[in-house]
Amino acid sequence: MGRDDARGDADGRHPVTADATPATLTAYAEPTRPVRAGWIAAFAGVWLGLWMAQLVPVQVLLPLQIAAQHASDDWLVSLLTYGLVSAVAGTFVVIAYPIVGALSDRTRSRFGRRRPWILGGVVLAAVGLALLGVQTESLGTVTMWTAVMMGFCMASAALTAVMADRVPAGQRGLVSGWISAPNAIGILLGIVLVTAVFTTTALGYLALAVCCVGLAVPFLLVLRDVPLTTSEAALLGPLTVRTILSSIWVDPRRHPDFAWTVASRVLINLGNAIATTMLLYFFTFALRVADPTGFLVFTTVIYMVVTIVASVALGKLSDVVQRRRVFVLASGVAQAVSALLLAVAPAESTAVIGAVLLGLGQGCFFAVDQALATQVLPSAETRGKDVGIMNIALAGPQAFGPLLGAGAVVLFGGFSGLFLASGLAGLLGSVIIMRVRSVR
């Protein structure tokens, strides 16, 4: 993998050749040499396992498990409980993301800065999933789901920092597309796995755990993660609780593009999360589909195909035209239109159209916004911490989305208000991204 590595000297201005020895490589140099197809494939693989571990329980297993734990004629009871379980886990994740990122920035090991956190996160998520499947009470469920989300937090924070460490800016749209495509594939494969192959909740969770670990192994083997030198580590100061906590804050006045990107991410992801995490309930209790799980799989297939095409094609296109903001704007608008359609004309046919629009928007957003985010990070020395803050804007809405979505259903007496709120959030988030000035 030496030919894939792009590192420079201490000031990052002179790229290191492919035959450079590890001693000449530096952790903070800006990458200039494109990564190869094999590296990208392994990178996509570890994301596939993580998306399956995080999204399939949210879409299918957790709602079914919680409904079984709270047998009641009022389906709103299980819906609200599901929202609370997700929100508790999300609270821990929001706090942990920047801390984990800061820790990975300072990690000194012979295996590098990021690899130990990827491995630890994958293992923690897998253990949490395996134990989640045998929980019969709410306390155990929320505890194990929090463990899963903490593992996802650890691994995804390190992986996103790896992209900033290893992938040159001109290739990040393409590589980001291979974060988005596994998102769609993971949802579909996972749903099929836990509904058609492993039909019990416990076996479904166990299957996801095995996939999470197995798909991470190739990337852990091929990743060349340059360890910090003593002088590089000294730039960040001693590793103390005070140092880590004080480093979490990024002044929006000094780094306005970073702040606008975070705000845009929060709104677009929130718009997506409060709608998609409620789909099984929507199909079951609003549309009264005869086979809601089957219809969820059907719409997910459509979403998956469109998302993969959009993420790879539009991510690459954004690299070619050297534009990011307009793609994020278009993605937010597409997701908003998808939600508003379901608000004004709820039906199975509009759900299918909505899946197409959502796939276009989500694929474009994940590919291009991830690339944009890595281009507004305040400094090379704190990439992990800054990416951790960025990832709050992804994980936070996904975690709190079910609770907010359930609250919207209760508040507005149905799902129309839920989808209206989803659409407005997506629209606002897409407009805000145009305030970024340092990225075209």
Side-chain angles (χ1 to χ4, degrees):
M1 295 304 294
R3 296 182 63 85
D4 287 343
D5 285 291
R7 293 288 183 262
D9 59 11
D11 62 11
R13 291 176 295 182
H14 305 291
V16 176
T17 64
D19 297 325
T21 61
T24 66
L25 303 180
T26 63
Y28 296 151
E30 185 68 20
T32 58
R33 190 183 300 277
V35 292
R36 290 188 171 186
W39 191 96
I40 297 173
F43 186 69
V46 65
W47 275 109
L48 176 61
L50 285 171
W51 287 131
M52 291 174 68
Q54 195 254 345
L55 295 175
V56 176
V58 168
Q59 293 279 354
V60 179
L61 292 180
L62 273 176
L64 294 177
Q65 184 177 19
I66 291 170
Q69 293 172 358
H70 298 82
S72 171
D73 293 333
D74 186 359
W75 57 272
L76 286 175
V77 173
S78 62
L79 184 145
L80 289 170
T81 304
Y82 165 52
L84 287 170
V85 168
S86 185
V88 170
T91 300
F92 283 91
V93 168
V94 165
I95 295 170
Y97 251 127
I99 295 175
V100 167
L103 287 169
S104 78
D105 285 332
R106 291 167 166 81
T107 297
R108 296 190 64 192
S109 78
R110 61 189 296 264
F111 302 105
R113 293 181 294 167
R114 316 300 184 191
R115 185 187 281 113
W117 292 94
I118 297 170
L119 176 60
V122 165
V123 171
L124 178 59
V127 171
L129 285 168
L131 295 177
L132 185 58
V134 297
Q135 303 305 313
T136 58
E137 301 292 337
S138 295
L139 181 59
T141 301
V142 73
T143 301
M144 290 303 107
W145 181 239
T146 299
V148 174
M149 289 299 294
M150 290 294 289
F152 178 85
C153 161
M154 291 166 59
S156 61
L159 281 167
T160 313
V162 163
M163 194 171 79
D165 293 340
R166 289 290 319 279
V167 182
Q171 200 184 17
R172 286 178 191 168
L174 173 64
V175 175
S176 293
W178 289 105
I179 298 176
S180 178
N183 177 289
I185 298 171
I187 294 174
L188 177 62
L189 287 180
I191 289 177
V192 171
L193 196 66
V194 303
T195 59
V197 181
F198 300 97
T199 55
T200 67
T201 301
L203 287 177
Y205 279 123
L206 187 59
L208 295 178
V210 172
C211 290
C212 183
V213 174
L215 289 167
V217 171
F219 187 70
L220 290 169
L221 293 177
V222 304
L223 173 63
R224 191 161 187 187
D225 193 8
V226 181
L228 282 181
T229 64
T230 302
S231 60
E232 288 169 339
L235 293 175
L236 294 172
L239 181 61
T240 65
V241 173
R242 182 178 179 181
T243 302
I244 295 172
L245 292 179
S246 64
S247 72
I248 291 173
W249 172 251
V250 175
D251 190 344
R253 293 170 298 181
R254 292 183 58 197
H255 305 285
D257 286 354
F258 182 87
W260 287 121
T261 303
V262 170
S264 172
R265 278 190 140 201
V266 167
L267 288 166
I268 292 178
N269 282 314
L270 183 62
N272 178 275
I274 62 178
T276 57
T277 55
M278 294 287 108
L279 283 179
L280 187 58
Y281 291 99
F282 175 64
F283 294 156
T284 304
F285 300 107
L287 297 187
R288 300 195 179 279
V289 177
D291 180 11
T293 303
F295 189 65
L296 179 62
V297 172
F298 173 66
T299 53
T300 301
V301 171
I302 297 171
Y303 163 82
M304 179 201 75
V305 172
V306 177
T307 298
I308 293 172
V309 174
S311 61
V312 176
L314 296 178
K316 177 62 177 177
L317 181 61
S318 77
D319 287 338
V320 173
V321 301
Q322 297 183 6
R323 296 287 192 277
R324 307 292 192 201
R325 295 183 304 166
V326 67
F327 287 91
V328 177
L329 173 66
S331 70
V333 171
Q335 292 186 61
V337 172
S338 171
L340 294 174
L341 266 179
L342 291 175
V344 300
E348 292 183 33
S349 58
T350 50
V352 173
I353 297 171
V356 174
L357 291 171
L358 183 63
L360 281 171
Q362 190 76 340
C364 180
F365 176 76
F366 264 120
V368 180
D369 186 72
Q370 194 69 40
L372 187 153
T374 62
Q375 292 177 241
V376 297
L377 300 179
S379 71
E381 291 84 357
T382 59
R383 284 172 184 152
K385 179 265 294 182
D386 297 329
V387 163
I389 296 174
M390 280 288 185
N391 283 340
I392 291 175
L394 171 65
Q398 288 180 342
F400 291 99
L403 181 61
L404 295 175
V409 172
V410 174
L411 179 64
F412 296 111
F415 288 88
S416 293
L418 165 77
F419 291 119
L420 280 172
S422 169
L424 291 174
L427 258 167
L428 183 57
S430 65
V431 171
I432 282 178
I433 200 64
M434 302 307 290
R435 298 296 301 269
V436 172
R437 292 290 179 262
S438 62
V439 181
R440 297 169 72 184

